[in-house]
Amino acid sequence: MRGALGGPRVLLRRLREVMAEQVSAQDRLDKIVVLIAANMVAEVCSVYVLRVDQTLELYATEGLNRDAVHLTVMRVDEGLVGHVAREAESLALSDAHNHPEFSYRPETGEEIYNSFLGVPILRAGNTLGVLVVQNRARRTYTEEEIEALQTTAMVLAEMIASGELTALAKPGAEPAVRRPLHLKGVVLADGLGLGHVVLHEPRIKVTNVIADDVVKETARLDAAIGKLRHSIDLMLEDDGLAKAGEHRDILEAYRMFAHDRGWMHKMREAVLSGLTAEGAVERVQSDTRARMMRASDPYLRERLHDLDDLANRLLRELIGRARGTEREALPENAILVARNMSPAALLDYDRSRIRGLVLEEGGTTSHVTIVARALGIAAVGQVENAAGLADPGDPMIVDGQAGEVHLRPPGDVEEAYAEKVRFRARRQAQYAALRTRPSVTKDGVHIELHLNAGLLVDLPHVAETGAAGIGLFRTELQFMIASAFPRISEQLKLYRAVLDAAGERPVTFRTLDIGGDKVLPYMRTVEEENPALGWRAIRLGLDRPGLLRSQLRALLRAGAGRDLRIMFPMVAAVEEFDRARAIVERELTHLRKHGHGLPEKVYVGAMVEVPSLLFQLDEILSRADFLSVGSNDLVQFLYAADRSNVRVADRFDPLSPPALRAFRLVAEAGQRHGKPVTLCGELASRPLEAVALAALGFRALSVSPAAIGPVKAMMLELDVSAARKVLLPLLEDKSGMADPRAALSVFAKASGLPL
Ligand code: PEP
Ligand code: MG
């Protein structure tokens, strides 16, 4: 006789009874394998569980030698069971012995079985174990049988995930479901955070996977799909699309998936096999996840996120829960884990409870990163599948120094980090003690340290760090976290608050730097092939002078009675600077005419971010009151390496001769013209890089708030003339082999500089 006996639905019903019985975990597993074997008309049914050491242990069997249970252990790169675990994909063979990966285990007595069907036990796309049936006769397992076994594996997944089996394990060989994970990513914001996982987009927990009534579940699924499609259509029609922070192309992709017949068909099939509608959505999504996670194609991975999100939306429709209602009680010591997050969403959380941020995406210069830095939250990005692997409440350590994350860390790792946190606290106390010390090098050179800011939350840093001023105030951040264009009155309020917080210290406001990677969700922009080279920053400001004028008006009014410093981003030609400066003059005239108070003095500067300006330094310096090097952009354009593309962003070292020669040109031109020149890119925030900049002649740097302490501690020990002697000859070297980073590192070490 062939085929499932009584069908999968009968099996699921029986399984539910077994799950409800008050028996030991082992007895329950033993009963389950007997039921499955009988239902699938197989001589053998076995459950292998993936352990923390990444081996597979036989936990239960019907048909193989029972003495092998808890004794047979194999690696994931071994045998057919290992293949299923590794590939997270079903494997059906009518002649298993002839498969190249067949491996023989004498203790199990399995050599007499010819046919093999193994399915992965999956949860959120992660393999927890393998469920196998075997037959003596050569048989071809049907699609329906494979489906049925996959559905059954869901019940086992829940059982393993519940932790019930941990009691059966030897210490150190527990099921891998809750195993400690060491995940690598990239540094977004420095710091160490110890705490517990909070999922920014909580997964809907499906607790009931076995259906009572298939007809009812099919109707529920169909109704939920209908509602999902309708809600996507509404979002697409909605003009206020931007308010929801959604992008049209993503929604278009959602609409396509929501009408995808394959997706629908798979879920209906899963319901027909006896799952609830929720169970079916989860089952199909878990399979898709497992399959797509193995894909290296970034496009496919991106689609996986879309499908995850869509599946979550569908579950919400089924469970009848509105989006975001789960996000209420934030525990103490929360570590936020998300695929990605908008800066506004991060600011919505209670900062005092957040210890860390982990993103599956997130670039080092993305805006959520800038906000995390401003808030002093340790953050790591590009952590693959972080939100899929972590469960709410899991202990987690965010290492924003190394760009690593420890999920469910073992005790010794946790203790080591607790010590590191204490060490950092001591270091912070030392930096705090330097707060009022002027930043003067050992050989008496004053290097002013200003800070980079852009939000209200940054303002306390001015006093806390003892910075000489705000060297770069990124005004676009206020625009980026708003849901509509901030009114002049709102801008005025922020700029006044900034000047008040700075007191006597100078503040350099940069006018709106939007476009490129800085998008305003509520502003319609034209699709551009190369947005970084496109209609952005001062280009946009000059073409849409209304926006620039209103911002300048707010700035000039905020600066009434004090000195005001304004600078323009992305100046590529002096003529742009002239036009922008003329707008400042016109606004001043306008304000004067209307009897408004005016700033005592207005200094107007330009950012050096576009290489063309390197070859117009005399021209720009005869017009501008000061210059500030935006090294993030200057390096990106100098090397033609997209700063937000992780594949190339760190490919070229800014401490290499070409970049250093470019910086030197600016520093020396400033000296020639007697005009102040500073550098405000991320570069200056790193102590070794700051040594190089001081050696090149920069006498003011603008750095992130957390960097003031470390950079100042280094400056106090630095002998600038000695650093010049090391660095400058390397810039004359024509061999192409000069390595300024290495030379400066040796110098720093020999001079005992705290790096
Ligand atoms: C820069 O480009 O270095 C800079 C400071 O500007 P932003 O990072 O805001 O583009
Ligand atoms: Mg820039």
Side-chain angles (χ1 to χ4, degrees):
M1 191 170 55
R2 293 247 168 126
L5 197 67
R9 276 186 250 160
V10 175
L11 173 60
L12 281 176
R13 217 167 306 136
R14 299 289 307 278
L15 283 175
R16 182 159 59 183
E17 287 159 16
V18 175
M19 294 301 281
E21 281 177 27
Q22 295 289 329
V23 290
S24 73
Q26 188 65 54
D27 284 352
R28 198 186 317 283
L29 272 182
D30 291 346
K31 286 184 176 202
I32 289 174
V33 287
V34 170
L35 275 178
I36 297 173
N39 186 274
M40 302 280 299
V41 198
E43 282 95 12
V44 174
C45 174
S46 313
V47 174
Y48 297 84
V49 174
L50 186 70
R51 311 194 310 190
V52 281
D53 57 3
Q54 290 295 283
T55 56
L56 290 151
E57 174 178 331
L58 180 65
Y59 260 62
T61 186
E62 164 68 4
L64 297 184
N65 184 356
R66 277 179 188 255
D67 293 341
V69 169
H70 296 302
L71 285 180
T72 290
V73 175
M74 47 202 152
R75 299 193 311 268
V76 284
D77 59 359
E78 189 186 3
L80 301 177
V81 176
H83 176 100
V84 174
R86 206 170 57 239
E87 299 297 321
E89 213 164 57
S90 308
L91 182 65
L93 302 166
S94 58
D95 185 8
H97 294 213
N98 278 331
H99 190 279
E101 287 186 275
F102 179 80
S103 101
Y104 170 58
R105 286 307 183 97
E107 76 274 17
T108 62
E110 69 180 331
E111 73 273 26
I112 50 173
Y113 300 103
N114 284 301
S115 311
F116 173 100
L117 169 58
V119 299
I121 301 173
L122 294 174
R123 186 164 173 270
N126 298 303
T127 302
L128 308 186
V130 177
L131 174 61
V132 174
V133 293
Q134 289 171 280
N135 282 77
R136 203 168 272 124
R138 291 188 181 194
R139 66 180 271 196
T140 306
Y141 297 99
T142 63
E143 273 302 314
E144 290 74 35
E145 286 171 316
I146 299 172
E147 280 278 319
L149 200 64
Q150 284 172 339
T151 302
T152 315
M154 272 192 82
V155 177
L156 286 164
E158 285 312 309
M159 196 176 165
I160 299 172
S162 74
E164 192 182 346
L165 301 189
T166 309
L168 303 178
K170 290 184 231 24
E174 291 85 2
V177 62
R178 317 273 318 139
R179 75 180 186 279
L181 287 173
H182 180 188
L183 309 170
K184 301 247 190 279
V186 300
V187 173
L188 297 184
D190 184 33
L192 297 175
L194 275 67
H196 295 273
V197 169
V198 171
L199 293 180
H200 175 57
E201 293 273 323
R203 279 195 301 273
I204 305 276
K205 253 214 178 97
V206 177
T207 43
N208 180 17
V209 296
I210 304 174
D212 282 327
D213 178 346
V214 170
V215 179
K216 194 176 121 212
E217 293 303 322
T218 309
R220 285 185 66 230
L221 179 68
D222 286 348
I225 291 173
K227 279 201 223 155
L228 176 73
R229 288 177 177 169
H230 184 61
S231 71
I232 294 171
D233 288 345
L234 281 184
M235 284 192 282
L236 271 163
E237 280 162 24
D238 186 3
D239 254 2
L241 201 62
K243 281 198 203 108
E246 314 278 2
H247 288 295
R248 177 161 282 269
D249 50 348
I250 296 181
L251 287 173
E252 294 284 4
Y254 283 9
R255 173 143 74 182
M256 194 181 80
F257 290 132
H259 287 265
D260 181 82
R261 287 198 185 187
W263 193 51
M264 226 75 63
H265 178 72
K266 280 192 207 136
M267 288 189 292
R268 289 220 181 92
E269 287 287 299
V271 168
L272 288 178
S273 72
L275 289 177
T276 56
E278 294 88 333
V281 176
E282 183 157 286
R283 159 70 212 289
V284 170
Q285 187 50 17
S286 198
D287 286 352
T288 313
R289 210 164 215 282
R291 227 172 338 106
M292 287 172 101
M293 259 163 26
R294 279 178 288 124
S296 52
D297 180 347
Y299 175 80
L300 273 185
R301 286 171 162 264
E302 190 53 38
R303 297 288 76 76
L304 169 63
H305 288 311
D306 295 346
L307 274 170
D308 262 346
D309 194 24
L310 201 65
N312 234 345
R313 282 167 193 262
L314 192 51
L315 287 175
R316 282 199 187 94
E317 294 291 354
L318 283 164
I319 291 168
R321 204 179 311 157
R323 193 167 192 182
T325 47
E326 306 88 341
R327 193 191 309 160
E328 263 148 32
L330 199 62
E332 298 277 347
N333 302 335
I335 307 270
L336 295 173
V337 181
R339 170 189 163 195
N340 210 344
M341 204 187 280
S342 69
L346 180 56
L347 284 164
D348 265 353
Y349 283 100
D350 174 359
R351 163 68 191 99
S352 66
R353 289 169 180 260
I354 303 175
R355 298 288 165 270
L357 172 69
V358 175
L359 300 177
E360 292 181 7
E361 299 174 2
T364 46
T365 52
S366 70
H367 305 111
V368 66
T369 302
I370 292 168
V371 171
R373 277 189 208 136
L375 294 172
I377 298 172
V380 175
Q382 319 271 330
V383 183
E384 199 172 317
N385 195 24
L389 295 166
D391 277 320
D394 277 349
M396 187 180 253
I397 296 171
V398 182
D399 184 340
Q401 278 179 301
E404 295 174 1
V405 172
H406 296 268
L407 178 59
R408 301 180 284 264
D412 52 343
V413 173
E414 195 160 339
E415 190 33 55
Y417 270 95
E419 179 48 39
K420 275 192 187 194
V421 169
R422 286 190 286 272
F423 175 75
R424 279 178 72 94
R426 283 196 296 273
R427 279 255 296 253
Q428 288 307 327
Q430 286 162 6
Y431 295 147
L434 302 179
R435 207 175 60 88
T436 50
R437 289 244 331 245
S439 172
V440 178
T441 63
K442 246 165 120 176
D443 53 341
V445 181
H446 198 148
I447 313 261
E448 281 182 16
L449 297 180
H450 297 255
L451 58 83
N452 294 343
L455 295 166
L456 269 179
V457 293
D458 287 313
L459 299 185
H461 297 311
V462 183
E464 279 163 21
T465 58
I470 298 180
L472 166 66
F473 191 86
R474 293 179 160 105
T475 59
E476 64 276 7
L477 294 189
Q478 182 194 23
F479 285 68
M480 276 159 49
I481 62 173
S483 50
F485 273 111
R487 289 192 298 270
I488 290 203
S489 58
E490 288 166 315
Q491 296 180 47
L492 181 59
K493 204 165 132 200
L494 174 67
Y495 304 152
R496 277 206 182 119
V498 176
L499 289 167
D500 287 344
E504 292 300 299
R505 297 176 251 221
V507 178
T508 302
F509 289 96
R510 176 174 73 187
T511 60
L512 277 181
D513 184 11
I514 43 181
D517 64 332
K518 298 171 183 173
V519 278
L520 303 186
Y522 44 86
M523 186 170 132
R524 280 199 188 283
T525 44
V526 218
E527 278 283 312
E528 292 184 304
E529 193 115 341
N530 292 303
L533 306 180
W535 194 54
R536 52 176 299 197
I538 194 173
R539 302 169 184 185
L540 196 149
L542 292 173
D543 290 357
R544 290 268 181 284
L547 195 58
L548 182 58
R549 250 197 326 260
S550 57
Q551 182 179 35
L552 289 172
R553 194 167 297 177
L555 283 168
L556 293 168
R557 286 186 55 192
R562 356 189 193 201
D563 283 357
L564 184 71
R565 300 165 60 83
I566 297 172
M567 86 181 160
F568 295 108
M570 301 290 299
V571 176
V574 287
E575 170 264 347
E576 290 174 324
F577 182 80
D578 291 342
R579 287 173 58 199
R581 186 163 200 152
I583 300 178
V584 177
E585 296 302 337
R586 265 207 303 279
E587 280 312 307
L588 274 170
T589 311
H590 172 90
L591 290 176
R592 201 174 290 121
K593 210 165 91 193
H594 288 81
H596 287 286
L598 296 181
E600 294 276 315
K601 176 125 186 57
V602 182
Y603 297 92
V604 185
M607 288 192 75
V608 184
E609 306 186 276
V610 183
S612 63
L613 215 54
L614 295 174
F615 307 101
Q616 309 168 72
L617 284 169
D618 289 325
E619 294 91 324
I620 191 76
L621 276 160
S622 64
R623 293 160 158 87
D625 299 315
F626 63 92
L627 294 183
S628 186
V629 179
S631 56
N632 301 339
D633 277 314
L634 186 60
V635 171
Q636 112 162 316
F637 294 128
L638 209 52
Y639 281 105
D642 184 349
R643 65 193 264 191
S644 53
N645 177 346
V646 285
R647 290 216 185 107
V648 296
D650 296 321
R651 197 180 184 98
F652 303 100
D653 188 354
L655 282 194
S656 56
L660 291 173
R661 286 175 189 146
F663 301 148
R664 183 174 61 170
L665 283 180
V666 190
E668 290 180 353
Q671 280 154 17
R672 267 200 317 277
H673 287 257
K675 299 247 171 106
V677 167
T678 121
L679 187 142
C680 62
E682 300 306 311
L683 195 69
S685 297
R686 297 192 284 268
L688 190 70
E689 280 76 349
V691 172
L693 295 170
L696 292 178
F698 285 89
R699 295 295 171 259
L701 302 174
S702 193
V703 305
S704 60
I708 295 262
V711 174
K712 192 193 274 185
M714 184 278 301
M715 288 296 176
L716 295 175
E717 300 299 321
L718 177 67
D719 180 339
V720 184
S721 55
R724 279 177 79 79
K725 285 196 190 105
V726 172
L727 185 64
L728 297 193
L730 294 178
L731 301 191
E732 306 310 324
D733 186 288
K734 299 286 186 285
S735 69
M737 305 299 283
D739 187 348
R741 178 175 295 282
L744 285 173
S745 300
V746 170
F747 165 76
K749 204 157 179 205
S751 331
L753 292 183
L755 288 183

